Amino acid sequence: MYSHMWSKNFECSAVLTGCEIEFTNYCGLDCNGCIRKDSTDFWFLDINTLQNICSYVDEKKFTEIVISGLWDAFLHPKFYDFLEYIFKRFPDIMVYVMTKWQSISDKDIEKFAVMKSEWKNINLTFSLFSLEKNQYKQVTWGGDLEKLLQVIKSAHTQRINFSFEFFLDKGNIAYISQFQKFVSLFGKEFRYTIPHNWGWKLNSKIYKNLFDETLLESIISKRVPGEICEAFEGEYVFFDFAGRVYKCWLARESKELFLWNINSGEFLRAFSSLDYNSCKSCSYFSYKTKLW
């Protein structure tokens, strides 16, 4: 079920044969390593924008869609209506929904179970920062680990398609074996992502509290000279809630990687015209995830 999504060379949340859609940029958490506050406007994806995005998906013959961004898609008031629209347009497409728990509930798990029974290829990924209650709350500025674990148990009981993504950094790298044992309880693979500094917008002190090349040596790889980021060299694009199209979701505010607005129908620039050197402002230009 997940073989299309995982890549030997890219992070577990990445999709290389499709696109990423942001249903909303509202979020109930305020995680230490997040640049959500850099957003200049906040709202929800509308149906016209989704329709235009799906036309692009059809044109490109994408086989995967990730519902993600840095936010909480479950806050969208028409979340399930939009999923139904996507599957009506593309009955066989793979849809991955990322969540850090914020507002997902047992009722959502039940709805995912129904979609699975209808043979929809819907998958849920739980993003985790810690398995220790106080640390999880501290990192996310208020996240409730116990509620998240309850939802995970419900997902397991309902036998929906789900996976895990751990955010590894200096503060929790010592607990890898604990994380591996946890995912094995559910018969899942251990997947993770490394700390990023998107456009170097994170405060240097915050980033240093997350990233240390020596301490994280076992989970990171340094890019070799001339190596191109996987997202940059493929067909992948990111659509934000307003229909703005970027070559990479890590650089959602980058003028250099802004392509066009899907609602305007006018291309600002083609992929071939993008300058990869503009990505030097992203830590992913230098480091990538080392998958075991």
Side-chain angles (χ1 to χ4, degrees):
M1 179 63 70
Y2 303 102
S3 60
H4 297 289
M5 188 182 188
W6 309 132
S7 168
K8 293 181 180 179
N9 304 313
F10 209 30
E11 296 186 353
C12 54
S13 60
V15 55
L16 299 182
T17 57
C19 64
E20 191 163 350
I21 305 174
E22 176 184 79
F23 274 21
T24 181
N25 60 346
Y26 284 117
C27 180
L29 301 179
D30 190 15
C31 302
N32 292 339
C34 182
I35 59 168
R36 178 173 60 90
K37 291 179 287 295
D38 280 352
S39 295
T40 56
D41 54 346
F42 296 85
W43 200 239
F44 301 95
L45 185 78
D46 62 44
I47 186 60
N48 290 331
T49 302
L50 179 61
Q51 290 171 344
N52 291 333
I53 291 173
C54 285
S55 294
Y56 185 81
V57 170
D58 189 31
E59 175 187 338
K60 291 295 183 178
K61 306 302 178 186
F62 286 154
T63 59
E64 301 173 295
I65 291 176
V66 173
I67 308 300
S68 182
L70 299 174
W71 336 104
D72 182 10
F74 288 91
L75 289 174
H76 199 294
K78 295 185 177 181
F79 176 75
Y80 290 101
D81 292 337
F82 282 12
L83 286 181
E84 286 297 322
Y85 177 81
I86 290 173
F87 281 115
K88 185 176 180 179
R89 291 278 302 261
F90 313 106
D92 298 322
I93 202 161
M94 303 288 293
V95 175
Y96 302 92
V97 182
M98 311 296 293
T99 179
K100 300 178 182 67
W101 165 73
Q102 301 102 308
S103 61
I104 191 174
S105 67
D106 288 344
K107 291 183 178 179
D108 294 301
I109 299 303
E110 293 173 1
K111 291 180 179 179
F112 269 65
V114 170
M115 285 188 284
K116 180 184 178 182
S117 70
E118 297 171 341
W119 298 98
K120 293 182 173 68
N121 294 319
I122 186 78
N123 306 269
L124 184 63
T125 296
F126 294 103
S127 298
L128 289 164
F129 302 91
S130 172
L131 292 176
E132 198 282 317
K133 180 180 179 180
N134 291 331
Q135 184 183 40
Y136 186 87
K137 185 175 182 178
Q138 180 182 17
V139 170
T140 60
W141 286 79
D144 191 325
L145 179 62
E146 291 182 355
K147 288 186 177 180
L148 171 58
L149 294 178
Q150 177 56 48
V151 172
I152 292 173
K153 290 178 182 178
S154 296
H156 183 63
T157 301
Q158 295 278 1
R159 298 181 180 276
I160 71 167
N161 298 318
F162 73 94
S163 58
F164 296 107
E165 176 188 49
F166 282 84
F167 286 82
L168 298 184
D169 57 36
K170 287 171 55 178
N172 62 13
I173 186 69
Y175 299 102
I176 283 184
S177 60
Q178 178 186 350
F179 298 156
Q180 291 174 317
K181 290 178 181 178
F182 175 79
V183 301
S184 68
L185 294 174
F186 301 93
K188 306 297 181 181
E189 294 186 46
F190 176 60
R191 305 282 181 174
Y192 63 87
T193 182
I194 61 175
H196 290 301
N197 195 340
W198 300 293
W200 298 112
K201 292 182 179 180
L202 281 182
N203 178 281
S204 60
K205 182 178 180 180
I206 293 177
Y207 186 53
K208 287 181 180 179
N209 284 335
L210 298 172
F211 184 84
D212 181 280
E213 183 178 340
T214 302
L215 289 177
L216 302 181
E217 181 181 10
S218 64
I219 66 169
I220 64 174
S221 294
K222 293 192 69 173
R223 292 193 181 277
V224 299
E227 182 180 359
I228 303 296
C229 169
E230 294 74 20
F232 191 92
E233 67 179 356
E235 288 292 313
Y236 159 87
V237 290
F238 167 71
F239 298 93
D240 77 0
F241 75 94
R244 292 173 290 236
V245 189
Y246 295 88
K247 192 65 189 78
C248 176
W249 78 274
L250 296 178
R252 54 172 291 125
E253 299 292 336
S254 169
K255 293 181 179 179
E256 290 81 5
L257 296 185
F258 173 69
L259 298 170
W260 78 98
N261 190 303
I262 195 68
N263 296 318
S264 71
E266 297 181 1
F267 285 71
L268 179 65
R269 53 173 65 94
F271 290 179
S272 59
S273 68
L274 298 178
D275 182 6
Y276 184 59
N277 286 324
S278 66
C279 292
K280 287 182 177 179
S281 62
C282 176
S283 60
Y284 207 71
F285 185 90
S286 302
Y287 301 97
K288 64 180 179 179
T289 305
K290 180 190 293 183
L291 298 181
W292 297 341

